Amino acid sequence: MALPAFAISTDQGQLTGRGLEGFYRAGRRILSRCQVRVAGREPVAVQARMLSADSARFVATLRLSTGGGPDPEIVVERIRYADGTERITLHSAAVRPLRLPVEVSLGTDLAEVGLVASGGAGPELPASVHDSGMRWSTATAHCTVTADPVPADALASAGLLRWEVDLPPGASRSVELRVRPDGAGPIRLAGHGAMRSTVAARAVGDDPRVQPLLDRSVEDLHALLLRSPEHPTDMYPAAGAPWRCGLAPAEALAAARMALPLGTRLAAGTLRTLARSQLTGSGPRSGMIPGPLRDAGPHLPPGCTGTEATLLFPALLAEAWRWGLPGKEVEELLPAAERCLRWLLGAVGEGAFLPDAHPSGLARCETQAHAHRAALLGADLFDAYGLEGAVGLRQWAQRLRTTFREEFWVQDRAGGRPAVARLRDGRLVPHLTGGAAHLLDTGLLGAGALAPGLLDRVQTEQLARLFGGPAMDSGWGLRSLGAKEAAYNPFGHRGGAVRVQETAVAVTGLAAAGYDKEASSLLRGMLSAAESFGHRLPEMYAGEQRTEGSAPLPHPAACRPAAAAAAAGAHVLAALAGIRPDAPAGTVTLKPVRSAPLGELGLTALSVAGAPFSVRVSRLGLAMVEEAADGLQLGV
């Protein structure tokens, strides 16, 4: 993947045109079939592996004679790049010179990705011979494949390119194909160069899974980056591939926030991009960051992601400021954050809860957590820059805390639980969901302190116990709906599947609150799932209970990679070290997880106050700074 381009194939390497296979660019499948035959036969696939986020290597072999023993004489290597380039190389181990016919069969339907996903793509289009390859056209799209070297034969009716390849003993010969929409050039990663510093981030330690997890997290974040066409210096993450290769405001803000240990550049670009989309005027939606509706599971109506984005905006700005976003950039974004918080107070009115825009007027648990964090972090930002309104934000946050603890808690004989929502008439929707993890995510204030939470100490302990129990902890991560709840479905997006973002939020929130056992169990499950997925975590996977020798079940509709899931890797590792910066004050505080659940852990080339930051946590849970910006002091 190298957005806006990506390629999908099975581990066999051949693109057969079935299912989702093909090269895609800007939401359209530009090539669906690319099948290689050597000497009239299809090589036998032996290995497929990712080389990087935007390239993969496929190896196949061919045995030419039946009397020469079992060893293959030809190795066929295919290096496939997301940008539409494929290099096919034949390596000969034969003792005699060979002359082999090589054929590549091509085809495409030029279908949009949504049509492909729904199974509605049409038949292959007729091809025409074009320069050194093939061309396909519709009324709205055109695509060409060019080959180097020029093929000896090109048969348009079959989409076939053919070469006669001479291979001396021990020699190699290559053919390179390039598929492009007409007039389009090569893809250049949005983050290339501008975010080069994040590539240097490394994790080492007793647990061998941490390094590949962080490596893949950084690679995937880079590959998901897009640039604003009108403002090319501003980068933001797409939600995920292949389904959501565009800007999804809430997911982009969440990913940028979790990626703050890698630097503030992504946060700044995302904030500036979304500030330009902020609604203005005098209506009730003035100040909102618009966003679409999103399914909320079996027990609630769809939720407005615009509400979530509007609340995440000031929280991200405040925390990016703590991590080292330059003051000038903070000042430029303050008016947009101020409008978000004015909208919040206006939407709350004289009440305690932030209601949905839905006609039912219900108030969601998760929304209250986002709103409370935005108010407290925003108030700190207002104070620092001399803006009015901090007192009102803190007063409302205090009112919300008091009321939430009394009116959002479902009492039962097992100790109670936070309700997933509260209806306008006061009735509670009692189901336990992974969204309650956001109650533990309070946000970073000054001097390394965390903001107070909506739950009191006893309620926090009960939520930790519930998250650590088998109904919520699947062994692979946190379920989005408890296994004992009505309508539980292990594949339900918000009805039982494991959502990586929620798991990461739960891990860091539990660890910060001192519940190491529960945090460690969820963390180990997430790391085991990552290993099963080649360290490229999807946005979600089935919440089926883990058993000995099992593996997590992929979700057929999940994006993989996904921005929030990729950023979660950096987020949880930084949380294990307990890195809490206050760049404006020139300090950084370390609050590592004392139980050191992964043993010794070293994180190098992170970013605090705009400079490289490295920290090491011992097996005893003691942290030591090994590299930091000049003048940065260790807080207490």
Side-chain angles (χ1 to χ4, degrees), residues 7 9 13-15 23 54-56 58 78-82 85-86:
S9 71
Q14 301 277 39
L15 296 180
F23 284 96
D54 68 336
S55 63
F58 304 89
R78 301 172 72 170
I79 307 294
R80 180 170 297 150
Y81 298 91
T85 302
E86 180 154 337

Side-chain angles (χ1 to χ4, degrees), residues 105 110 133 154 156 192 280 293 346 481 483 485 502 505 516 586 603-604 636:
S105 181
L110 292 178
H192 183 74
T280 57
L293 293 178
L481 180 68
E485 301 289 340
E502 283 180 351
V505 168
D516 292 10
L603 301 173
T604 61
V636 179

Side-chain angles (χ1 to χ4, degrees), residues 7 128 247 254 346 430 535 607 631:
S128 61
L247 176 62
H535 302 285
S607 180

Side-chain angles (χ1 to χ4, degrees), residues 38-39 62 64 74 90 98-102 163-167:
V38 178
L62 193 66
L64 298 175
I74 300 296
L90 274 61
L98 299 174
R99 185 174 177 81
L100 300 174
V102 176
W163 296 260
E164 290 288 340
V165 176
D166 291 313
L167 274 174

Side-chain angles (χ1 to χ4, degrees), residues 490-535:
F491 282 96
H493 178 201
R494 291 176 181 264
V498 174
R499 301 183 66 242
V500 171
Q501 178 186 345
E502 283 180 351
T503 298
V505 168
V507 168
T508 56
L510 288 167
Y515 297 99
D516 292 10
K517 178 183 176 182
E518 293 81 3
S520 298
S521 178
L522 291 173
L523 172 63
R524 292 192 183 99
M526 176 180 160
L527 287 175
S528 295
E531 189 174 31
S532 179
F533 286 111
H535 302 285

Side-chain angles (χ1 to χ4, degrees), residues 444-482:
L444 182 64
L445 298 176
L450 296 179
L454 283 176
L455 301 179
D456 62 27
R457 185 184 61 80
V458 173
Q459 291 171 334
T460 301
E461 182 176 355
Q462 172 65 0
L463 182 58
R465 188 184 68 82
L466 292 170
F467 278 179
M472 292 299 292
D473 186 351
S474 70
W476 301 114
L478 186 72
R479 292 188 177 96
S480 53
L481 180 68

Side-chain angles (χ1 to χ4, degrees), residues 150 277 318 510 586:
V150 176
S277 72
L510 288 167

Side-chain angles (χ1 to χ4, degrees), residues 100-328:
L100 300 174
V102 176
E103 297 176 343
V104 179
S105 181
L106 304 166
T108 188
D109 49 18
L110 292 178
E112 294 184 355
V113 64
L115 201 59
V116 178
S118 65
E124 287 187 358
L125 299 168
S128 61
V129 176
H130 178 77
D131 291 339
S132 59
M134 296 283 172
R135 187 174 190 270
W136 297 265
S137 296
T138 68
T140 57
H142 312 275
C143 171
T144 59
V145 171
T146 57
D148 182 20
V150 176
D153 298 297
L155 184 61
S157 60
L160 189 70
L161 303 180
R162 188 177 185 276
W163 296 260
E164 290 288 340
V165 176
D166 291 313
L167 274 174
S172 300
R173 296 289 185 269
S174 295
V175 170
E176 186 167 281
L177 305 175
R178 295 186 183 90
V179 54
R180 301 278 192 271
D182 276 10
I187 294 290
R188 182 175 183 270
L189 284 172
H192 183 74
M195 293 191 67
R196 188 180 300 278
S197 60
T198 64
V199 177
R202 289 291 181 267
V204 296
D206 291 340
D207 194 314
R209 298 172 294 185
V210 298
Q211 182 170 337
L213 176 65
L214 185 59
D215 288 348
R216 181 49 59 89
S217 295
V218 171
E219 278 188 8
D220 286 346
L221 277 173
H222 275 235
L224 282 165
L225 291 183
L226 296 171
R227 291 181 184 270
S228 172
E230 297 82 14
H231 303 271
T233 58
D234 291 341
M235 295 173 292
Y236 56 87
W243 317 118
R244 307 175 70 198
C245 292
L247 176 62
E251 283 80 355
L253 288 164
R257 182 177 178 234
M258 290 196 291
L260 282 172
L262 302 174
T264 60
R265 181 70 185 273
L266 181 58
T270 302
L271 289 166
R272 283 193 290 264
T273 299
L274 292 176
R276 289 189 283 269
S277 72
Q278 190 174 35
L279 301 179
T280 57
S282 57
R285 288 172 53 82
S286 177
M288 287 192 72
I289 308 292
L293 293 178
R294 177 172 58 200
D295 177 71
H299 300 296
L300 294 177
C304 175
T305 62
T307 298
E308 184 178 346
T310 306
L311 300 172
L312 286 172
F313 188 101
L316 173 58
L317 179 60
E319 289 192 308
W321 173 58
R322 297 290 180 194
W323 279 88
L325 184 65
K328 182 179 179 181

